[in-house]
Amino acid sequence: MLRVRPLHFTSRIDHWERLLTALGLVLTEGDGGFRVFDSAAGRLAVHSVPEGDPLDGTTTLAVEVGNLAEFARRTNESAAEDGNTPAELVTADHGDACRITGPDGFSFLADPAGHGAQCADADPALAVVAVWFSQDTDGAARTLRHVGARPRPVPDSDETADFTAKNGGVLMVRPASGLSRSGLGFEYGGGLEPVRERLAAAGFQVSMTEEAFGSTLHVANPDATVFAASVPATVWISERRPMG
């Protein structure tokens, strides 16, 4: 199995819960400093940190899998054609995990799934999106294929790549200058008006941009006041239109 489940660090965890609930996610684990929210496709874990902590406002790419050893074996077997072994079983601060490292040096963890099926009460059209920004977009895309992510068509034949995870969520590769990093967003399968209405009803200010391949909602990032220079000002929700 493979499910997208980024980990977001914040000193404003209650603000994030209010935002995620308005977006259509449902709290399924925890109620204190560590909480997990389900969408219909993918999850988001939110970890509380003190204001001013270096992690405050950052997101770490992460996934959930079934059996760690089997996941590592399959990933390395798939990557053998590239002459490397990107998956390594490790003991992280929170327990056993598998670390996957790309050719650009960027790494992320695969953790055992905390619970099985996605929450049936989540908005069925909403998906969690994890983004891998890299100078080596080809290498990042190959690594995601090796872990079992499924490529899907993208509207532009540029340095971008999109993937879906078998058990929920979207993984994107996007070009970036400087060090590789991860990002967070959401995707909605259809018109964005239902999300916009929920966000407005919850007191959030929302703006919309129209782009060639769909619309995108932007809502104020609860962490934006923490480090204005390094934290994105908004959280984005993109409209997912079927590729014709």
Side-chain angles (χ1 to χ4, degrees):
M1 69 161 289
L2 182 72
R3 179 183 290 114
V4 176
R5 198 214 67 178
L7 173 61
H8 184 76
F9 298 92
T10 179
S11 59
R12 291 165 169 76
I13 193 167
D14 291 332
H15 292 74
W16 269 95
E17 177 163 355
R18 191 164 64 89
L19 172 59
L20 295 174
T21 301
L23 283 176
L25 288 86
V26 176
L27 177 66
T28 55
E29 292 181 45
D31 58 5
F34 181 79
R35 308 176 195 180
V36 178
F37 297 83
D38 279 23
S39 75
R43 295 180 173 131
L44 176 63
V46 184
H47 193 300
S48 180
V49 294
E51 184 169 345
D53 188 289
L55 291 174
D56 199 1
T58 66
T59 303
T60 299
L61 192 155
V63 297
E64 288 185 340
V65 299
N67 183 289
L68 289 173
E70 180 64 11
F71 170 76
R73 185 193 66 78
R74 290 184 179 182
T75 298
N76 288 334
E77 185 177 84
S78 175
E81 63 191 48
D82 292 342
N84 60 22
T85 52
E88 176 190 10
L89 295 174
V90 298
T91 301
D93 292 343
H94 57 278
D96 292 337
C98 179
R99 182 176 299 280
I100 301 93
T101 304
D104 59 359
F106 178 83
S107 67
F108 61 95
L109 291 181
D111 291 310
H115 58 278
Q118 298 287 141
C119 179
D121 295 329
D123 187 319
L126 190 73
V128 175
V129 180
V131 188
W132 182 345
F133 293 100
S134 176
Q135 293 187 52
D136 183 4
T137 54
D138 287 342
R142 287 197 309 272
T143 301
L144 292 179
R145 289 189 184 95
H146 294 325
V147 304
R150 299 169 170 176
R152 73 177 186 184
V154 291
D156 292 324
S157 57
D158 56 9
E159 295 181 287
T160 65
D162 286 12
F163 299 84
T164 58
K166 177 181 179 181
N167 299 90
V170 177
L171 293 158
M172 294 182 175
V173 175
R174 295 294 183 266
S177 58
L179 296 175
S180 298
R181 64 188 191 278
S182 56
L184 170 68
F186 299 90
E187 193 173 81
Y188 202 74
L192 293 169
E193 197 56 37
V195 184
R196 188 173 194 170
E197 291 176 356
R198 287 200 302 265
L199 289 168
F204 292 98
Q205 291 188 337
V206 186
S207 62
M208 182 180 291
T209 57
E210 296 290 341
E211 300 162 3
F213 303 102
S215 304
T216 301
L217 287 178
H218 300 271
V219 58
N221 185 338
D223 300 318
T225 58
V226 179
F227 302 114
S230 59
V231 174
T234 63
V235 176
W236 53 267
I237 309 98
S238 291
E239 179 183 9
R240 172 64 179 168
R241 293 180 179 175
M243 296 289 294

